[in-house]
């Protein structure tokens, strides 16, 4: 898995942001769309790794192995204490899949308009009155991983459940708006960001900057 490493140039940071792009995007798109500049402008003392986690890794179902071996373990060996995954769209799904398997590894995750499942499942959760009332079909396996993710996310409605900190952001015209709104119902309000905009870099960049200012 190819990566682009970024250091803010100051003495070694304790925090590392691992950025996962959406479908059709590559690691360098974070640079083109000023995400690294946002980190600098916000004054965040963190380094970053931009990950070329494109569609093939998801289709071959080795995204978690490659993330662990190519990105997370080397970061831990370098001494980073606070690891954050930042996932856009499909990268948000990858972030959640990793967080579910390795919750103790992450300090937190930033989800920008994450893909949270097919419309049929989203409609089922919506019709149930939200994720708190929804019940997943058992047994949960890798074949119904979308339900498995939502079942895991339900725990965010319970304050006594240990989970990585979750920051969520999406545009009000985003095609994933309803799914993201359902997730937002179980995340503290101060950790949910919405603004006018669609499924695009301009919206994500603006929300990401606000998150950096407020939480890092």
């Amino acid at each position: 898995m190819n990566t682009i490493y970024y250091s803010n140039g100051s003495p070694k940071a304790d925090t590392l942001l691992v950025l996962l792009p959406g479908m059709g995007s590559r690691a360098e798109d974070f640079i083109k769309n000023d995400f690294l500049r946002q980190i600098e402008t916000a004054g965040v003392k963190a380094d970053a790794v931009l990950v070329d986690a494109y569609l093939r890794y998801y289709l071959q179902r080795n995204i978690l192995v490659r993330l662990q071996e190519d990105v997370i373990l080397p970061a831990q060996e370098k001494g980073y204490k606070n690891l954050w995954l930042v996932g856009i769209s499909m990268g948000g799904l990858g972030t959640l899949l990793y967080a579910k398997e390795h919750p103790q590894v992450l300090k937190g995750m930033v989800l920008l308009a994450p893909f949270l499942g097919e419309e049929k499942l989203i409609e089922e959760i919506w019709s149930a009155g939200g994720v708190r009332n929804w019940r997943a079909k058992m047994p949960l396996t890798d074949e119904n991983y979308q339900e498995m993710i939502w079942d895991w996310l339900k725990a965010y409605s319970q304050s006594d459940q240990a989970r990585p900190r979750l920051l969520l952001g999406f545009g009000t015209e985003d095609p994933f708006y309803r799914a993201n709104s359902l997730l937002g119902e179980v995340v503290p309000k101060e950790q949910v960001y919405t603004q006018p905009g669609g499924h695009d870099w301009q919206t994500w960049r603006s929300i990401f900057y606000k998150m950096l200012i407020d939480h890092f």
Side-chain angles (χ1 to χ4, degrees), residues 181-195:
S181 295
L182 287 169
L183 176 55
E185 292 176 0
V186 296
V187 178
K189 291 182 178 180
E190 67 273 14
Q191 295 167 216
V192 179
Y193 292 74
T194 61
Q195 69 173 49

Side-chain angles (χ1 to χ4, degrees), residues 49-162:
V49 171
L50 318 180
V51 183
D52 246 348
Y54 42 87
L55 183 59
R56 175 169 59 86
Y57 292 103
Y58 294 86
L59 295 178
Q60 296 179 352
R61 300 195 176 190
N62 61 0
I63 179 67
L64 300 188
V65 173
R66 295 273 54 87
L67 264 179
Q68 179 72 0
E69 295 184 1
D70 298 344
V71 181
I72 301 301
L73 289 179
Q76 291 175 322
E77 291 171 359
K78 290 179 180 179
Y80 288 105
K81 297 177 181 178
N82 303 314
L83 297 177
W84 283 77
L85 288 186
V86 180
I88 291 177
S89 193
M90 183 182 68
L93 173 63
T95 294
L96 287 170
L97 290 170
Y98 183 87
K100 179 185 176 299
E101 292 300 314
H102 305 280
Q104 73 286 353
V105 171
L106 299 180
K107 176 74 172 181
M109 48 185 166
V110 172
L111 304 178
L112 297 171
F115 171 71
L116 295 172
E118 297 175 1
E119 186 58 35
K120 181 180 178 181
L121 174 59
I122 302 307
E123 178 62 34
E124 181 182 312
I125 298 172
W126 186 274
S127 298
V131 66
R132 289 184 177 89
N133 300 325
W134 171 78
R135 296 291 181 271
K137 299 181 182 68
M138 298 296 176
L140 292 171
T141 68
D142 289 343
E143 296 305 315
N144 57 349
Y145 69 92
Q146 295 176 8
E147 290 194 29
M148 186 165 53
I149 285 293
W150 275 104
D151 188 67
W152 181 76
L153 285 169
K154 287 182 68 168
Y156 276 92
S157 65
Q158 305 167 19
S159 60
D160 61 338
Q161 295 294 311

Side-chain angles (χ1 to χ4, degrees), residues 152-179:
W152 181 76
L153 285 169
K154 287 182 68 168
Y156 276 92
S157 65
Q158 305 167 19
S159 60
D160 61 338
Q161 295 294 311
R163 291 287 190 277
R165 186 173 176 81
L166 195 162
L167 306 180
L168 173 66
F170 52 97
T172 54
E173 286 76 53
D174 194 292
F176 297 159
Y177 176 82
R178 184 161 69 159

